[in-house]
Amino acid sequence: MEFQGKVAISTGAASGMGLLFAQNFAELGGNVVLCDVNDEALKMAVDEINQKGQGRAIAMHCDVRDYEQVCAARDRAVAEFGSIDVVANFAGGTATRMRNVDRAKYPEFPDVPIDVFDWGLDVNLKGPFYFAHAALKQMREQKSGIIINIGSITGMEGSDYGMEYPTAKTGLMFGLTKSIAQYGSKYNVRCVCISPGPVLTRAAMASMRTLVGRAADPQEIIDLCLFVISDKGRFINGENIMIDGGRNAMARWN
């Protein structure tokens, strides 16, 4: 898997799997636009990638909830590198956790302020939708590309508290991914959703049960993403791929 001369946009790329994807893509020769709202961390990440002297990286402040900023990221990628071969939608997270909701103060779903859930739906669903809408203009013109959405085991399981997260992830895993694949097929554009189970990006993930008895190392998720976007994965399209250690196959009462 080599990406010499290829160009990727990675969202949520100042940290976590968005950053890890960008690092891997550059190490394999690709150029990458790292998008995030954390400018300080973003600059450090880009500097580190560029110091290695393999693929080139640039930073782009981008709130995925803002369509104008999304379009600006697209335009910067094209201006700097001439194309967009990959969009990897890693930005996201459960709103009640990301917004530090006090569960003692807001004990049940109806108690949580609606603006918290607005934030979650915007980041986790509208963000990837915005990037698809913006990037497909370029991919249509160049007649190539792939969009990677990131789903979640939570999209299969649901949640009785942070309901916006499984709602958004299910939308990515099925509705958006299949729809982009249908539209993109006439322009040689693919779309695939990668849906992890527990991943050790946070210590709490280690307590989630799987059939293999552990959570995933983040690199295992990125390795699958890299395979899918490479020529080796070119027959995969419009599909949601679970990479969850068998959690979705477990009896629901486990």
Side-chain angles (χ1 to χ4, degrees):
M1 291 184 287
E2 296 182 355
F3 301 107
Q4 296 288 341
K6 298 294 185 180
V7 181
I9 294 175
S10 181
T11 72
S15 62
M17 289 194 293
L19 173 57
L20 186 59
F21 173 84
Q23 292 169 331
N24 275 248
F25 192 80
E27 286 170 4
L28 292 167
N31 299 312
V32 61
V33 179
L34 284 75
C35 296
D36 207 292
V37 294
N38 187 336
D39 294 328
E40 183 177 352
L42 201 57
K43 183 181 184 303
M44 292 175 59
V46 165
D47 288 346
E48 180 182 342
I49 291 172
N50 287 331
Q51 285 170 7
K52 293 184 177 179
Q54 294 162 317
R56 183 172 161 229
I58 61 174
M60 191 72 190
H61 179 95
C62 182
D63 184 337
V64 301
R65 301 173 299 165
D66 186 324
Y67 185 68
E68 290 186 0
Q69 293 187 34
V70 169
C71 289
R74 174 202 61 199
D75 294 344
R76 178 83 185 281
V78 175
E80 292 281 344
F81 300 123
S83 66
I84 301 172
D85 300 293
V86 183
V87 171
N89 288 308
F90 284 98
T94 305
T96 51
R97 177 176 62 85
M98 300 293 288
R99 297 286 299 273
N100 298 311
V101 170
D102 182 354
R103 193 150 186 178
K105 184 176 180 181
Y106 305 110
E108 295 188 345
F109 166 72
D111 305 318
V112 178
I114 197 62
D115 66 282
V116 173
F117 294 128
D118 283 340
W119 181 94
L121 290 168
D122 286 349
V123 170
N124 292 299
L125 183 56
K126 287 176 69 175
F129 192 99
Y130 281 178
F131 260 99
H133 188 268
L136 280 167
K137 290 181 174 67
Q138 174 64 26
M139 292 179 173
R140 176 179 61 185
E141 181 177 326
Q142 67 195 31
K143 292 185 169 52
S144 64
I146 178 169
I147 295 173
I148 294 292
N149 292 324
I150 302 299
S152 171
I153 183 62
T154 311
M156 302 296 288
E157 294 179 333
S159 170
D160 68 353
Y161 188 65
M163 292 189 192
E164 100 297 336
Y165 190 69
T167 300
K169 290 302 185 181
T170 301
L172 290 185
M173 292 157 70
F174 303 105
L176 186 59
T177 295
K178 290 180 182 294
S179 299
I180 295 171
Q182 289 175 18
Y183 171 76
S185 61
K186 58 187 172 184
Y187 298 109
N188 192 34
V189 175
R190 296 186 291 128
C191 185
V192 178
C193 190
I194 307 297
S195 294
V199 184
L200 291 174
T201 50
R202 293 187 295 115
M205 293 285 194
S207 63
M208 289 181 66
R209 296 184 60 188
T210 67
L211 289 180
V212 301
R214 63 175 178 85
D217 184 280
Q219 187 64 50
E220 292 177 288
I221 311 303
I222 300 306
D223 286 344
L224 177 57
C225 293
L226 295 171
F227 177 84
V228 168
I229 67 173
S230 76
D231 286 344
K232 293 179 182 294
R234 63 185 179 271
F235 199 60
I236 306 171
N237 193 21
E239 190 54 79
N240 176 58
I241 303 174
M242 302 297 300
I243 176 167
D244 64 348
R247 183 175 172 87
N248 193 47
M250 296 174 68
R252 285 294 186 241
W253 53 84
N254 287 334

